[in-house]
Amino acid sequence: MQSYTIGQAARLLGVSPDTARRWADAGRVPTHRDDTGRRLIDGEDLAAFSVELAGSGGEEGSASYTSARNAFPGIVTAIKLGDVAAQVDIQAGPHRLVSLLTREAVEELGLEVGMEATARVKSTNVHIDRT
């Protein structure tokens, strides 16, 4: 069975090694020591903990971070659900933004027409027209 060091587990969980160490010290994820004395986490235990962590939304009070700087807060004006895909329209001031995403994502976010939402745009191509 694959085992991971605290540092490796931290990288896979997206947290600092100190956070992973605190979780291990608190017994949230079981560890054992190898022949050299390093603390290791069994792969099955780490997988189960990562699913539990994702289901709880991470650490309580943790902020959401993104590199997408173009945020358009608005209101959901339309949702078209297909079997697999979905289309969500957001009106952000004078701007209509349309996002194509999975139906599962719409359901997990609990999106409904009339609710507040923020569209974030990150693009490798930006076109500018002279008016």
Side-chain angles (χ1 to χ4, degrees), residues 103-122:
R103 178 187 183 115
E104 181 181 43
V106 171
E107 292 170 348
E108 284 181 3
L109 290 169
L111 294 178
E112 296 177 4
V113 172
M115 74 184 308
E116 236 180 291
T118 300
R120 294 197 182 272
V121 179
K122 185 165 184 175

Side-chain angles (χ1 to χ4, degrees), residues 10-60:
R11 189 175 62 255
L12 291 169
L13 295 170
V15 298
S16 72
D18 286 338
T19 297
R21 201 170 293 110
R22 281 192 299 273
W23 286 339
D25 290 344
R28 289 187 64 188
V29 60
T31 63
H32 64 278
R33 297 208 180 258
D34 68 3
D35 296 336
T36 64
R38 292 183 310 165
R39 279 201 301 184
L40 299 175
I41 302 170
D42 287 337
E44 286 181 7
D45 292 331
L46 183 59
F49 181 69
S50 68
V51 169
E52 174 191 327
L53 192 63
S56 70
E59 288 186 279
E60 291 181 30

